[in-house]
Amino acid sequence: MTSLAAPRVQPEPVPTTPACHENAAIADTQGMVSRLALEFPAVDRQIVDRQVRDTWNCATHLSADVTPDVVEELAREHLIALDGSLDLIRPVRAHGRRREAAG
């Protein structure tokens, strides 16, 4: 019996960044992390680092024109949202812990 389904089309591979740019990207992200960590002291530095790397990787994956300025600005916008929500998250967590300790 033959299948009537159309064959699957394989996606085109995304071109990779040349190695010479990868070292520059690593150096740029450390500077971004340092600047953003100073700008958002309430956010853990590891979270800032992860946000910068995730933003860079996402933009690269989407084949966007990745520049340090664009990545830093996008990461900053995400950190503004995260920093603003910390006040909402922390009291709930602290309240939940007190309830567990009492129980």
Side-chain angles (χ1 to χ4, degrees):
M1 184 174 229
T2 61
S3 174
L4 298 176
R8 288 190 169 190
V9 176
Q10 294 297 322
E12 295 277 330
V14 177
T16 58
T17 306
C20 62
H21 294 295
E22 290 177 9
N23 293 336
I26 292 169
D28 289 338
T29 59
Q30 293 309 311
M32 282 184 248
V33 170
S34 297
R35 286 188 296 276
L36 292 170
L38 287 173
E39 194 173 333
F40 298 97
V43 179
D44 186 57
R45 188 178 176 96
Q46 289 178 335
I47 293 173
V48 174
D49 181 61
R50 185 174 21 150
Q51 184 61 55
V52 168
R53 285 184 290 116
D54 286 351
T55 302
W56 192 288
N57 290 334
C58 183
T60 302
H61 175 73
L62 295 173
S63 300
D65 184 22
V66 182
T67 64
D69 292 336
V70 169
V71 172
E72 187 169 349
E73 189 58 34
L74 287 171
R76 179 177 286 110
E77 292 298 323
H78 286 222
L79 291 167
I80 288 170
L82 177 64
D83 189 44
S85 66
L86 289 177
D87 293 336
L88 299 172
I89 295 169
R90 286 185 179 142
V92 171
R93 288 182 180 169
H95 185 317
R97 287 185 197 134
R98 278 187 252 130
R99 185 177 293 165
E100 290 172 11

